[in-house]
Amino acid sequence: MHYPEARKEVTKDVVRFIRRAPGMNFVSFTFANEPDLDRVIDQQLDYFLPMEQPFTWKVYDHDLLPSLKDKLASRSFVSDGGDAVMVLDVKHASADGQMFQPVKADIRCVRDLDGLKDVIHVLDNVYGGHNAWVNDRLGGHLKIPGYLSVYAAYVEGQPVSIAWTYFPRGQFATLFAGTTIAEYRRRGLYTGLLSTRLKEIRERGFQYAVVETGDMSRPIVAKHGFQHLTTVYDYEWKGN
């Protein structure tokens, strides 16, 4: 997978992505064998730490590296608990299914920084704080033609649920967020946002939709045909 805002580096041991500060860097895949892990992890720490940026190491359940999680944890990496990676073959999904029917909810495409205020409003209500990172990250990505689509769902004119999709080069479009303010859940807004994004993915000719799901969203996407591929864990370095 390629990310326009990141530099991809492939070494004999890992695949890593480097973003401009203060962006999150990450190791996306580990080639190393089990006996080499200590050396590889220490080398990556030596590489990333001087950048003074946050970085994570992705670990998958299908990795044939049984000690990788423990070795990362012993070096001040902290796991996010893991998300199920779910995938849908959009190109071959039934056009008669619920996901490709008209959406009744008031869902609008966010195209600029002004519209991102509604995304921040929802994130602030759900997670607290002030999620100003949205302006830099999503705002910057919206400037890249065809790379990012952001949507918000509204009730009585107020933004209450948001989601977005990345379209990197290749056949996999990646779904993110699907965040709804608590009192507006169970109204079909997440499903409406999912449907809206899947239609766009199909219209743009991408074959697959992939999403990392937590406990709340996993049953919803599974209901609509997404298949569980693996579980991914983001180990973020939290050392001094």
Side-chain angles (χ1 to χ4, degrees):
M1 191 171 289
H2 296 269
Y3 304 89
E5 84 288 1
R7 181 176 75 254
K8 180 180 182 180
E9 298 180 347
V10 181
T11 75
K12 65 183 180 64
D13 297 315
V14 299
V15 178
R16 61 196 181 200
F17 288 85
I18 315 301
R19 292 186 171 104
R20 186 176 62 184
M24 175 75 76
N25 298 325
F26 62 99
V27 172
S28 67
F29 190 77
T30 309
F31 295 120
N33 295 319
E34 185 78 15
D36 294 327
L37 280 180
D38 287 307
R39 172 188 61 80
V40 170
I41 296 172
D42 289 339
Q43 284 182 345
Q44 296 309 308
L45 282 169
D46 289 342
Y47 178 79
F48 281 111
L49 289 182
M51 299 180 188
E52 298 184 344
Q53 293 173 236
F55 69 98
T56 62
W57 199 301
K58 290 187 177 291
V59 181
Y60 298 87
D61 269 353
H62 62 267
D63 285 337
L64 301 177
L65 300 167
S67 71
L68 179 55
K69 293 179 182 178
D70 289 339
K71 289 182 183 296
L72 289 171
S74 71
R75 291 166 170 82
S76 301
F77 285 87
V78 177
S79 171
D80 65 350
D83 288 315
V85 179
M86 311 283 285
V87 66
L88 176 70
D89 186 339
V90 178
K91 189 171 288 187
H92 294 102
S94 172
D96 297 327
Q98 180 184 355
M99 287 294 93
F100 298 97
Q101 298 304 307
V103 174
K104 297 180 180 179
D106 179 8
I107 294 176
R108 311 173 195 174
C109 186
V110 173
R111 304 184 186 278
D112 52 30
L113 283 176
D114 189 59
L116 288 178
K117 294 176 184 176
D118 292 343
V119 175
I120 294 173
H121 171 79
V122 173
L123 293 175
D124 288 354
N125 272 272
V126 174
Y127 299 112
H130 184 55
N131 292 269
W133 60 267
V134 166
N135 288 324
D136 289 333
R137 189 182 306 174
L138 300 191
H141 294 166
L142 282 173
K143 296 176 182 178
I144 302 172
Y147 181 46
L148 171 65
S149 292
V150 182
Y151 293 95
Y154 296 78
V155 173
E156 297 180 351
Q158 296 299 311
V160 298
S161 186
I162 51 93
W164 55 86
T165 309
Y166 279 105
F167 295 88
R169 284 183 290 168
Q171 288 298 308
F172 290 84
T174 308
L175 305 174
F176 282 90
T179 303
T180 305
I181 295 174
E183 55 264 39
Y184 295 96
R185 292 172 186 161
R186 301 187 183 279
R187 298 192 185 188
L189 298 174
Y190 179 95
T191 300
L193 285 165
L194 180 61
S195 174
T196 299
R197 291 179 292 163
L198 290 178
K199 290 174 185 173
E200 181 184 15
I201 290 169
R202 171 174 276 184
E203 289 168 0
R204 293 180 58 171
F206 282 72
Q207 180 159 357
Y208 300 103
V210 62
V211 60
E212 296 178 9
T213 61
D215 292 338
M216 292 182 64
S217 56
R218 189 177 307 138
I220 300 174
V221 300
K223 173 184 175 181
H224 295 295
F226 282 75
Q227 301 294 312
H228 180 233
L229 283 184
T230 187
T231 300
V232 60
Y233 305 83
D234 279 327
Y235 276 76
E236 184 173 356
W237 190 76
K238 295 290 189 178
N240 297 321

